[in-house]
Amino acid sequence: MAGDLLSVSAPALAPARELTDSWRLPAAEEPQGKSFGQFLTDAIGDVNALQHKAGDTVQRFATGERMDVHQVMIALEQASTALQLTMQVRNKLVEAYQDIIKTQV
Amino acid sequence: MSGIARSLDISASGLTAERMRMDVISNNLANINTTRGADGQPYRRQHVLFAANENGTSSFASMLRHAARGSVEGSIGAGVRVVGVEPDQGPLKKVWDPGHPDAVNGYVTMPNVEPVMEMVDLITATRAYDASISAIGAAKQMQQRAMDIGKG
């Protein structure tokens, strides 16, 4: 429906991931669990899956398959919410980047 | 992301179940005077049976994940499903009408569908449907408010 979000945003995420990777502690001291970059990638993947599911649902409904109206609306709403969440995450990342860039040396 | 999708999926299962109940009620009302069914018997009123979805049926991977972490979220149910549409076991009505083609000894066996009961069930199903819609609206509003944390 909106294209493959993952392939479009992956190159944009590369500088963010480099930034988080460079701050990682040495292996012995690193806390267990996923890094921030990994969280972000997983979240983008989920958003992508929801967009695909919404597009697929709308297509099946438009081609006449008998489907409940509420299922179509809920799929669309989930995709929209996930996309808005991604926009907020992007805003925060850009804000953080700009704050760091403004550092006077 | 599973938190966002999950509450809407639970409400969606409720909406689907109530919609199926509406279909059964409509079928009962449409066949209120059906003296010849598929097997030659008069139409019997139908009930729709709901069962709660245990969390395990949503996905094996998520069940394993919740059990490994010991989180409470693994014990929350996953909505409702329709397990069957069963005919009512009550007695059929006998109406005196000797001229009717299906009359036996002057009595015609009519379906055991009460219009008043069906209308009450219709109202109940509509209210349950509206309740699930309200739950969806509340969940959506919660998510929007949470996203406002980042603004400003």
Side-chain angles (χ1 to χ4, degrees), chain A residues 19-62:
Chain A
L19 202 61
T20 58
D21 285 353
S22 66
W23 286 101
R24 193 177 292 163
L25 301 165
E29 299 167 28
E30 185 175 338
Q32 293 301 315
K34 298 192 282 188
S35 70
F36 176 68
Q38 187 62 34
F39 267 120
L40 203 56
T41 314
D42 287 350
I44 296 282
D46 285 340
V47 169
N48 196 33
L50 281 175
Q51 290 279 10
H52 277 304
K53 183 175 156 202
D56 186 54
T57 307
V58 171
Q59 191 177 3
R60 278 159 57 198
F61 187 66

Side-chain angles (χ1 to χ4, degrees), chain A residues 18-104:
Chain A
E18 268 176 19
L19 202 61
T20 58
D21 285 353
S22 66
W23 286 101
R24 193 177 292 163
L25 301 165
E29 299 167 28
E30 185 175 338
Q32 293 301 315
K34 298 192 282 188
S35 70
F36 176 68
Q38 187 62 34
F39 267 120
L40 203 56
T41 314
D42 287 350
I44 296 282
D46 285 340
V47 169
N48 196 33
L50 281 175
Q51 290 279 10
H52 277 304
K53 183 175 156 202
D56 186 54
T57 307
V58 171
Q59 191 177 3
R60 278 159 57 198
F61 187 66
T63 56
E65 176 181 326
R66 286 218 178 159
M67 188 177 289
D68 289 322
V69 175
H70 59 258
Q71 275 170 344
V72 179
M73 294 312 295
I74 286 177
L76 285 172
E77 186 58 42
Q78 278 178 339
S80 156
T81 305
L83 190 64
Q84 279 179 11
L85 188 60
T86 310
M87 300 308 283
Q88 293 296 324
V89 169
R90 183 216 64 175
N91 289 347
K92 281 295 168 193
L93 271 180
V94 167
E95 200 180 307
Y97 167 77
Q98 281 173 343
D99 281 342
I100 292 174
I101 282 297
K102 274 190 272 187
T103 311
Q104 306 282 350

Side-chain angles (χ1 to χ4, degrees), chain A residues 3-12 44 48:
Chain A
D4 196 335
L5 198 60
L6 194 58
S7 67
V8 163
S9 57
I44 296 282
N48 196 33

Side-chain angles (χ1 to χ4, degrees), chain B residues 43-123:
Chain B
Y43 177 81
R44 263 193 185 275
R45 176 177 177 243
Q46 284 178 327
H47 287 281
V48 59
L49 299 172
F50 293 157
N53 269 340
E54 302 302 320
N55 191 47
T57 61
S58 59
S59 110
F60 178 68
S62 75
M63 191 172 104
L64 202 57
R65 221 183 313 134
H66 287 306
R69 267 191 259 145
S71 77
V72 170
E73 200 171 328
S75 54
I76 301 176
V80 67
R81 71 180 187 278
V82 177
V83 290
V85 179
E86 300 288 322
D88 189 301
Q89 299 302 323
L92 297 171
K93 291 191 283 192
K94 283 199 185 331
V95 174
W96 172 257
D97 190 1
H100 198 278
D102 289 332
V104 171
N105 294 336
Y107 282 100
V108 183
T109 324
M110 296 294 276
N112 55 347
V113 177
E114 291 289 334
V116 176
M117 293 301 297
E118 298 304 318
M119 297 309 283
V120 170
D121 283 346
L122 202 64
I123 294 175

